[in-house]
Amino acid sequence: YDVFAQRDGERDQGGGLFELGLFGGRGVLTSTMLARSDDSRSGATRLDTTWTRDFPERLATLRIGDSITTPGPWGRAVRFAGVQFGTNFSTQPMLVTTPLLAARGEALVPSTVDVFVNNRPVASEQVPPGPFTIDRLPVLTGAGQLQVVVTDALGRQQVITQPYYSGNALLRPDLQEYAFELGSLRQDYTMRSFAYGDLLGSATWRRGLSDTLTVGARGEFQANGVFAAGADAAWQAGQAGVLTAQLAAGGDEDATGFLAGLGIERSGSRVSVYANSQYASRDFAQVGLDGLKQQPRDRTFAGVGVDLERLGSVQFAYGLQGFYDAPSVQTLGLSYSI
């Protein structure tokens, strides 16, 4: 629970958030409620009631009740009540989802190979003469350096150093994630306890094809006639970072439009940058758009972070949201932390 009360002049306000949970071998049942009291309105509203069951052996979670859709790279997250089944990598906390590194080299005589990632030891093996490969090495996301030290029986060392880059948008080869959802759209959330609208459904899928390429697809529909389908990709462009792209088509019974997007991200030891921009045509429609007052046209987000070491860090963020029938909205952010 989390409760509060305050008095501002002649106005009194109070309220609280409450959660009840029941758990057992077959899952967890939770329910949340919002209570408030002020001069204009008093009462309690049910928020979410959900039964959840994890399947660690399948890296998946099943939710029945109130939940939020998985938007993927180009969709919109909306609240709904129904069934959701999809990948949940957190059920296996030790699983590494991003592409793993491999250390390769050649030993002239029996030797010891020590592998370092960003100067931290991650592996040590005895190898026979000839070419060797030490794969499935854990890696920190972002830019880094892989160092292989080959030491023979006489103490002679051979050092091989190579830079690498790994991003969170990439999946390991043959690793896939998915989500399937079917239910009714929530309406007047936090205002009404049981208000539901149109039937909706969605399916999202992504798979790592190689260490540098991950692809995905998504489809969704709403009972009012809205539908959308599209594809996305994430590609590691060497040391430049990870490039992302999205392309989707969506509409209703009257017209169909398109959405396209591009992005880049690079996390370095000192400087990190990211940028993403999407554009939607006037006829483009998707689940979650009908609840907005203005129709979005384009949106751009970008940011830069600089690590000043002992002096702290600085982050700058910029956002631009454009609409077809309303003025654009810009946001700027600057923060400093020690």
Side-chain angles (χ1 to χ4, degrees), residues 115-122 140 144-149 159 161 164:
V115 184
F116 300 82
V117 174
N118 292 340
N119 296 321
R120 296 181 181 180
V122 296
L140 298 176
Q145 191 175 72
L146 176 69
Q147 193 174 55
V148 182
V149 181
V159 180
T161 302
Y164 74 87

Side-chain angles (χ1 to χ4, degrees), residues 4 14-18 33-37 43-45:
F4 81 96
L17 288 169
F18 303 90
M33 181 183 69
L34 170 67
R36 54 192 163 196
S37 175
T45 305

Side-chain angles (χ1 to χ4, degrees), residues 22-29 52:
L22 302 174
F23 61 91
R26 296 187 178 274
V28 179
L29 177 65
T52 304

Side-chain angles (χ1 to χ4, degrees), residues 27 39 65 74-75 158 224 258 298 328:
D39 297 337
W74 57 266
Q158 177 187 5
N224 63 356
F258 72 93
D298 55 74
S328 299

Side-chain angles (χ1 to χ4, degrees), residues 103-108 127-134:
R104 297 179 175 86
E106 184 174 2
L108 299 179
V127 298
F132 65 83
T133 299
I134 303 176

Side-chain angles (χ1 to χ4, degrees), residues 164-220:
Y164 74 87
Y165 187 85
S166 178
N168 287 324
L170 298 172
L171 293 176
R172 279 168 34 193
D174 298 327
L175 182 66
Q176 63 181 2
E177 60 178 348
Y178 56 87
F180 302 99
E181 294 136 346
L182 181 65
S184 296
L185 191 67
R186 285 290 301 266
Q187 296 179 332
D188 298 330
Y189 187 72
T190 74
M191 303 298 292
R192 299 168 62 188
S193 297
F194 298 94
Y196 301 99
D198 293 331
L199 177 72
L200 64 85
S202 66
T204 306
W205 170 85
R206 296 180 73 241
R207 183 184 181 91
L209 297 184
S210 67
D211 287 337
T212 59
L213 180 62
T214 297
V215 299
R218 174 179 172 83
E220 59 185 27

Side-chain angles (χ1 to χ4, degrees), residues 124 139 219 299:
S124 181
V139 58
R299 57 180 177 178

Side-chain angles (χ1 to χ4, degrees), residues 1-289:
Y1 61 90
D2 182 5
V3 297
F4 81 96
Q6 67 180 24
R7 181 178 179 85
D8 182 10
E10 297 181 355
R11 184 182 181 185
D12 295 327
Q13 286 183 298
L17 288 169
F18 303 90
E19 180 182 36
L20 174 66
L22 302 174
F23 61 91
R26 296 187 178 274
V28 179
L29 177 65
T30 59
S31 184
T32 56
M33 181 183 69
L34 170 67
R36 54 192 163 196
S37 175
D38 55 34
D39 297 337
S40 61
R41 180 176 178 178
S42 298
T45 305
R46 184 191 67 88
L47 297 180
D48 300 303
T49 303
T50 309
W51 176 75
T52 304
R53 183 170 183 179
D54 294 328
F55 299 90
E57 69 282 359
R58 300 184 63 176
L59 298 173
T61 293
L62 171 67
R63 295 182 179 90
I64 299 178
D66 299 297
S67 189
I68 301 175
T69 60
T70 303
W74 57 266
R76 288 183 175 271
V78 297
R79 293 186 178 275
F80 78 106
V83 180
Q84 181 184 64
F85 182 74
T87 305
N88 185 1
F89 291 134
S90 63
T91 59
Q92 294 282 0
M94 302 304 293
L95 176 69
V96 180
T97 62
T98 55
L100 299 174
L101 292 177
R104 297 179 175 86
E106 184 174 2
L108 299 179
V109 296
S111 305
T112 300
V113 177
D114 296 298
V115 184
F116 300 82
V117 174
N118 292 340
N119 296 321
R120 296 181 181 180
V122 296
S124 181
E125 291 188 14
Q126 301 289 331
V127 298
F132 65 83
T133 299
I134 303 176
D135 55 9
R136 304 185 65 83
L137 297 173
V139 58
L140 298 176
T141 56
Q145 191 175 72
L146 176 69
Q147 193 174 55
V148 182
V149 181
V150 183
T151 306
D152 63 19
L154 297 179
R156 296 175 298 186
Q157 288 187 337
Q158 177 187 5
V159 180
I160 305 171
T161 302
Q162 65 182 60
Y164 74 87
Y165 187 85
S166 178
N168 287 324
L170 298 172
L171 293 176
R172 279 168 34 193
D174 298 327
L175 182 66
Q176 63 181 2
E177 60 178 348
Y178 56 87
F180 302 99
E181 294 136 346
L182 181 65
S184 296
L185 191 67
R186 285 290 301 266
Q187 296 179 332
D188 298 330
Y189 187 72
T190 74
M191 303 298 292
R192 299 168 62 188
S193 297
F194 298 94
Y196 301 99
D198 293 331
L199 177 72
L200 64 85
S202 66
T204 306
W205 170 85
R206 296 180 73 241
R207 183 184 181 91
L209 297 184
S210 67
D211 287 337
T212 59
L213 180 62
T214 297
V215 299
R218 174 179 172 83
E220 59 185 27
F221 76 90
Q222 191 172 335
N224 63 356
V226 171
F227 65 91
D232 61 89
W235 173 59
Q236 179 182 328
Q239 299 301 305
V242 176
L243 302 179
T244 58
Q246 309 91 40
L247 183 63
D252 52 26
E253 298 175 351
D254 299 325
T256 301
F258 72 93
L259 176 145
L262 290 173
I264 185 172
E265 65 174 43
R266 190 183 192 279
S267 299
S269 58
R270 295 293 301 274
V271 179
S272 299
V273 296
Y274 72 90
N276 181 271
S277 183
Q278 288 185 345
Y279 173 83
S281 66
R282 179 179 283 274
D283 293 329
F284 179 75
Q286 62 183 145
V287 174
L289 275 185

